[in-house]
Amino acid sequence: MKVIIKSSEHDCAQEAFSLFQNAYQNGAKHFGLATGTTPLGLYELIRNSNMDFSDCISINLDEYVGLSRDNAHSYHHYMKEQLFAVKPFKHSFLPNGLATDEQGEIDAYEQLLSTYPIDFQILGLGSNAHIGFNEPGTPFTQTTHKVKLADATIRANSRFFENEQEVPQYAFSMGLASIMKAKEIVLLAFGRNKAQAVADLVQGPVTVDVPASILQTHPNVTIIIDEQAASLLH
Ligand code: F6R
């Protein structure tokens, strides 16, 4: 696991962009994408680049259960706004938050990951060390699944909603085993409220209590963090 510490979020986004671009130039075609605040700078750099994704596939980590793709809080909507409207991919996949056959949706999503194995995966980090929506306690063998979001996650994500009650309680998420199949993984984390999760992920034991700690066992992971997120590393 390689750890890169930069003085600003912008420099972190630049570093992630360089790795993204290298992967693209070296033939990566299947990109695993994340939502949230963390990748916004990276998506801006990609939007302003000359990269063309018309023969590429994107597969997102997760989507809220119960939100339609047009809902302004859905991750479908976020991805359209932040990337796809400017940089369309040949196919872009996110779980269908309104799927009535939930198990069918989960199985189909996991099948997608076999059809289009991810070459390059972008990850953010929850302050409770979740990746995707794999909350503490999720088995490392977990594949795509429906998740009951942790209270901490609902609280953290309520900043995007009118109030905490409006945050969906469930999401579909790629599992830890699904994420670990990616050939290359780049995780970004910024700010003091991610520092404990970063310290646990990088220097703690590999344990289901710290979902991101599984990344210690992956052969090609780069963690890109700002100084505040690095403040508890020794
Ligand atoms: C988003 C995702 C989550 C976020 C994490 C950090 O698709 O899977 O794991 O990456 O919750 O969120 P932000 O970036 O908003 O701090």
Side-chain angles (χ1 to χ4, degrees):
M1 173 182 285
K2 195 168 158 190
V3 179
I4 299 176
I5 303 170
K6 293 281 177 186
S7 53
S8 71
E9 288 185 25
H10 179 73
D11 290 352
C12 291
Q14 276 290 351
E15 190 71 32
F17 178 67
S18 299
L19 293 176
F20 189 99
Q21 219 173 15
N22 276 350
Y24 176 85
Q25 282 160 359
N26 290 329
K29 295 275 182 235
H30 306 156
F31 292 90
L33 303 179
T35 56
T37 307
T38 308
L40 290 174
L42 170 61
Y43 292 150
E44 185 180 356
L45 292 168
I46 297 173
R47 283 199 306 274
N48 294 332
S49 74
N50 57 9
M51 276 186 276
D52 171 24
F53 299 105
S54 53
D55 64 346
C56 295
I57 302 290
S58 71
I59 305 187
N60 264 78
L61 284 166
D62 37 29
E63 177 60 285
Y64 289 118
V65 169
L67 298 193
S68 74
R69 56 174 55 231
D70 301 326
N71 185 302
H73 298 303
S74 73
Y75 288 161
H76 275 89
H77 186 265
Y78 169 106
M79 289 308 303
K80 193 169 144 203
E81 295 272 300
Q82 297 302 329
L83 194 59
F84 301 153
V86 176
K87 294 284 180 189
F89 283 63
K90 183 175 176 192
H91 294 298
S92 285
F93 299 103
L94 289 93
N96 173 10
L98 293 185
T100 43
D101 175 7
E102 292 187 338
Q103 193 54 47
E105 182 66 18
I106 286 165
D107 294 344
Y109 213 71
E110 197 57 34
Q111 182 56 46
L112 266 182
L113 294 165
S114 303
T115 309
Y116 305 113
I118 291 177
D119 297 309
F120 187 93
Q121 175 70 55
I122 297 162
L123 294 177
L125 180 69
S127 51
N128 64 358
H130 74 209
I131 49 177
F133 276 134
N134 294 282
E135 303 287 21
T138 307
F140 291 146
T141 51
Q142 184 70 59
T143 51
T144 301
H145 58 141
K146 182 180 174 182
V147 182
K148 168 93 176 75
L149 299 178
D151 291 346
T153 302
I154 292 174
R155 254 193 319 278
N157 290 3
S158 65
R159 69 191 192 277
F160 300 111
F161 293 78
E162 296 290 306
N163 55 54
E164 227 172 279
Q165 282 66 46
E166 282 197 18
V167 185
Q169 305 266 318
Y170 292 90
F172 292 120
S173 176
M174 276 165 56
L176 293 168
S178 330
I179 293 170
M180 287 293 284
K181 284 190 200 143
K183 285 194 198 116
E184 178 175 3
I185 298 178
V186 171
L187 179 144
L188 289 155
F190 312 134
R192 184 64 184 80
N193 71 326
K194 302 286 174 80
Q196 188 62 56
V198 166
D200 292 345
L201 141 65
V202 173
Q203 56 204 17
V206 177
T207 160
V208 294
D209 297 335
V210 180
S213 66
I214 187 64
L215 298 176
Q216 289 180 26
T217 69
H218 189 284
N220 189 0
V221 176
T222 307
I223 311 286
I224 305 174
I225 50 180
D226 67 359
E227 281 166 1
Q228 288 180 313
S231 57
L232 296 178
L233 290 179
H234 34 70

